[in-house]
Amino acid sequence: MRKRALLSVSDKSGILEFAQELEKMDYEILSTGGTKRFLEENGVSITAVDEITKFPEILGGRVKTLHPLVHGGLLAKHDDAQHQSEMAENGISPIDIVCVNLYPFRETISKPNVTVEDAIENIDIGGPTMLRSAAKNHAYVTVIVDSEDYAIVVSELRGQSTTTPETRRRLAAKVFRHTAAYDSYISNYLTDLTGEEYPDQLTLTYELQQPLRYGENPHQKAAFYRSPLGSDFSIASAEQVHGKELSYNNIQDANAALQIIKEFKMPAAVAVKHMNPCGVGTGETISAAFAKAYEADSTSIFGGIVALNREVDAKTAEQLAGIFLEIIIAPAFSEEALEKLMQKKNIRLLTIPFDSTKKDKWNTVTVEGGLLVQEPDTYGYEDAEIQVATERQPTEAELEALKLGWSVVKHVKSNAIVVSNSDMTLGIGAGQMNRVGSAKIALEQAGEKAIGAIMASDAFFPMSDTVETAAKAGIKAIIQPGGSKKDQESIDMANAHGIAMVFTGVRHFKH
């Protein structure tokens, strides 16, 4: 019996050449709609599916392959006597190869201002059904969903007139991954339309960006996956213009730097080490901003990640080139900057679309056996209802410094304390088990620069010891959420030392 292949694709890349190879091997080629027209126009002999089913395409093409004469040919076991008997009785012939890719649903919903009607019409029904039927029966049927696999299929058919069981199983697994991802786009899109925040099942899909050399440590395997519909302002969307491959830790640190730098509208520079900021600076120019970030902690920046929210010019590149850095992230690099920085063989230079408006709706964190989902912490200084809790009001300069400190402390691992002035951080205390411990680290780093500076805390003070420690170091203003049962003790301590203290009403825990 002449072998048959069913070809029906939205993406026609390589399909003509594939069909021509099958035709040379005397396959009967079945097809429908646009694929049929395309192949016939290019000289390939086609049998229309409705010639097989004796039933026309109906409902504007919504129903064309959903028929027993198609799916019987896909699902029949070739070595099962009962199946073969039923096929003969019903006039069903086997289909040996299925090549299908689906309506572009993901691409459709990615368009600005897409209508619900357009999205719905791009939900493929017949395609996934054929793919799943063929993939289930991969012991006998070769199923292809990716044009990259045409070559291996043709090669095996030429060599042995059939594909290997291993290849068929690999292709079937790819099909089920593909249809699962396709269904996840649809389910999440429709769930968003209903406004349901926490559906009883949550299906997320990611695509392989790159295998990594190793994970956090050399003995751990790792890979980097990206969300196809995720934020464009992300490391996954970055263009690497120079340097060696990113590592697992590079990606984590670079993401942390991006989350901080997006807090600032004016020229700003952020240096990150081990997912915590070690220096943040702002200025009239990006060069001045970086100078402040470097000055904030010229020791910890060594081997760190730097993110800047303006194009890197020649002057800034000269400053950056003088330091050992793992990664520099910016919207762009001038030609002069690239010429200078690319002399450093191993440094990674990444560009990110800082003007992107596409943001992630949720943050996710895996725990063993589960997944935590939450909204991103986008609450900023402008959103807070600032309340001055002390007798002394903060000055205008102190308010500017409080704003900077508050913008940074939300990105520091809890317990978190930031000491700053109005244009740079002076000391950062991160991840300590008690708040006064973080304060002591930040104040020790700031040294004499703490005199007249401000302190920002990511959560309330459970007792007055942190305020007392700040007062001894010369801090003049404090910003914190408030809400402790012992707030009054902290307020009294601040009043006793002439410190202005403001409450935001919102904490910024970061674990």
Side-chain angles (χ1 to χ4, degrees):
M1 183 181 296
R2 189 181 181 193
K3 290 188 175 182
R4 301 196 301 171
L6 195 161
L7 313 183
S8 179
V9 294
S10 294
D11 176 7
K12 295 178 175 53
S13 303
I15 192 64
L16 174 60
E17 294 78 7
F18 183 59
Q20 290 169 336
E21 289 293 337
L22 294 176
E23 198 170 37
K24 289 176 187 176
M25 290 181 266
D26 197 34
Y27 272 78
E28 180 185 8
I29 299 176
L30 317 180
S31 193
T32 63
T35 306
K36 174 179 176 294
R37 288 191 298 274
F38 173 75
L39 293 176
E40 285 180 330
E41 289 169 1
N42 285 278
V44 178
S45 179
I46 299 295
T47 300
V49 167
D50 57 12
E51 292 179 38
I52 304 295
T53 63
K54 307 303 180 185
F55 198 94
E57 294 184 16
I58 62 172
L59 307 180
R62 282 190 169 197
V63 178
K64 48 192 174 187
T65 59
L66 298 170
H67 195 283
L69 291 175
V70 173
H71 287 274
L74 295 176
L75 285 165
K77 295 180 179 180
H78 296 189
D79 54 2
D80 185 299
Q82 182 64 34
H83 282 205
Q84 295 304 308
S85 173
E86 291 179 12
M87 289 178 71
E89 182 180 340
N90 290 283
I92 300 173
S93 298
I95 298 173
D96 304 276
I97 295 175
V98 171
C99 178
V100 172
N101 54 55
L102 308 177
Y103 294 170
F105 181 81
R106 188 184 87 189
E107 293 78 6
T108 300
I109 63 173
S110 297
K111 296 176 183 176
N113 304 317
V114 63
T115 64
V116 174
E117 291 75 15
D118 194 17
I120 296 299
E121 284 306 309
N122 277 278
I123 296 176
D124 203 326
I125 300 300
T129 307
M130 286 191 292
L131 285 173
R132 288 173 60 85
S133 294
K136 175 177 179 175
N137 205 32
H138 68 271
Y140 314 96
V141 180
T142 301
V143 58
I144 309 166
V145 74
D146 183 353
S147 60
E148 294 293 321
D149 293 315
Y150 294 162
I152 184 64
V153 170
V154 168
S155 176
E156 291 189 4
L157 291 176
R158 282 175 180 165
Q160 55 202 24
S161 76
T162 186
T163 53
T164 66
E166 294 78 15
T167 293
R168 291 196 297 275
R169 176 155 292 175
R170 179 180 64 81
L171 295 177
K174 180 180 282 192
V175 162
F176 282 116
R177 292 196 302 270
H178 186 77
T179 56
Y182 192 80
D183 283 343
S184 79
Y185 301 137
I186 298 168
S187 64
N188 290 334
Y189 175 77
L190 293 176
T191 299
D192 285 344
L193 290 182
T194 68
E196 190 172 357
E197 285 191 323
Y198 307 116
D200 53 359
Q201 291 179 315
L202 179 65
T203 305
L204 305 177
T205 187
Y206 293 85
E207 295 178 348
L208 181 64
Q209 180 92 341
Q210 65 188 89
L212 301 173
R213 288 175 293 158
Y214 53 82
E216 282 184 297
N217 300 290
H219 62 275
Q220 295 171 270
K221 294 180 180 179
F224 183 29
Y225 285 79
R226 67 169 294 165
S227 171
L229 297 174
S231 170
D232 291 331
F233 184 77
S234 68
I235 299 303
S237 297
E239 178 184 355
Q240 185 167 348
V241 297
H242 176 70
K244 61 184 181 180
E245 179 182 297
L246 295 174
S247 72
Y248 183 100
N249 293 333
N250 288 157
I251 293 167
Q252 290 268 55
D253 287 340
N255 178 64
L258 279 186
Q259 302 315 306
I260 304 169
I261 197 68
K262 71 182 181 182
E263 297 283 342
F264 298 94
K265 298 287 192 296
M266 67 184 303
V270 172
V272 164
K273 198 75 172 287
H274 303 304
M275 295 181 66
N276 275 307
C278 57
V280 177
T282 62
E284 292 298 319
T285 65
I286 198 63
S287 172
F290 176 71
K292 292 290 186 182
Y294 177 74
E295 182 186 346
D297 190 343
S298 59
T299 300
S300 298
I301 195 174
F302 183 85
I305 313 293
V306 170
L308 309 105
N309 63 357
R310 298 290 191 276
E311 179 183 82
V312 176
D313 55 22
K315 182 178 179 181
T316 311
E318 188 72 33
Q319 296 166 284
L320 292 162
I323 310 163
F324 168 58
L325 297 170
E326 291 278 358
I327 301 176
I328 302 171
I329 307 168
F333 295 83
S334 71
E335 290 185 14
E336 296 84 356
L338 283 176
E339 184 178 352
K340 180 67 178 178
L341 292 169
M342 289 174 70
Q343 294 176 25
K344 299 170 77 72
K345 180 181 177 182
N346 291 328
I347 195 169
R348 292 91 160 176
L349 305 179
L350 306 180
T351 58
I352 299 281
F354 273 64
D355 57 352
S356 170
T357 58
K358 187 178 179 183
K359 307 297 181 186
D360 283 342
K361 182 179 179 182
W362 302 104
N363 287 340
T364 59
V365 177
T366 57
V367 295
E368 188 158 355
L371 182 77
L372 289 169
V373 178
Q374 68 171 353
E375 290 181 324
D377 184 1
T378 59
Y379 195 96
Y381 184 88
E382 292 78 7
D383 303 308
E385 295 182 5
I386 299 296
Q387 294 181 339
V388 179
T390 51
E391 295 168 359
R392 188 172 82 78
Q393 298 283 318
T395 66
E396 287 300 318
E398 287 169 349
L399 283 172
E400 286 300 309
L402 292 170
K403 180 178 179 180
L404 185 143
W406 187 245
S407 297
V408 175
V409 79
K410 67 185 283 190
H411 298 283
V412 179
K413 295 287 186 181
S414 300
N415 287 313
I417 294 289
V418 169
V419 176
S420 77
N421 59 29
S422 61
D423 57 12
M424 62 183 286
T425 56
L426 303 171
I428 297 173
Q432 298 305 299
M433 282 62 71
N434 61 76
R435 193 155 300 278
V436 72
S438 289
K440 288 177 179 178
I441 292 171
L443 290 165
E444 181 180 354
Q445 184 184 2
E448 292 186 359
K449 292 180 181 178
I451 299 172
I454 71 93
M455 173 183 283
S457 174
D458 66 331
F460 63 61
F461 300 137
M463 54 191 68
S464 62
D465 53 356
T466 302
V467 180
E468 184 177 17
T469 301
K472 290 178 180 177
I475 293 294
K476 288 300 180 184
I478 294 174
I479 186 168
Q480 59 129 323
S484 169
K485 293 180 179 179
K486 296 184 178 181
D487 272 348
Q488 193 58 49
E489 291 183 16
S490 294
I491 294 168
D492 292 342
M493 183 65 72
N495 285 332
H497 291 278
I499 294 175
M501 185 159 63
V502 301
F503 290 171
T504 64
V506 173
R507 79 179 189 198
H508 285 305
F509 273 163
K510 182 177 173 63
H511 288 89

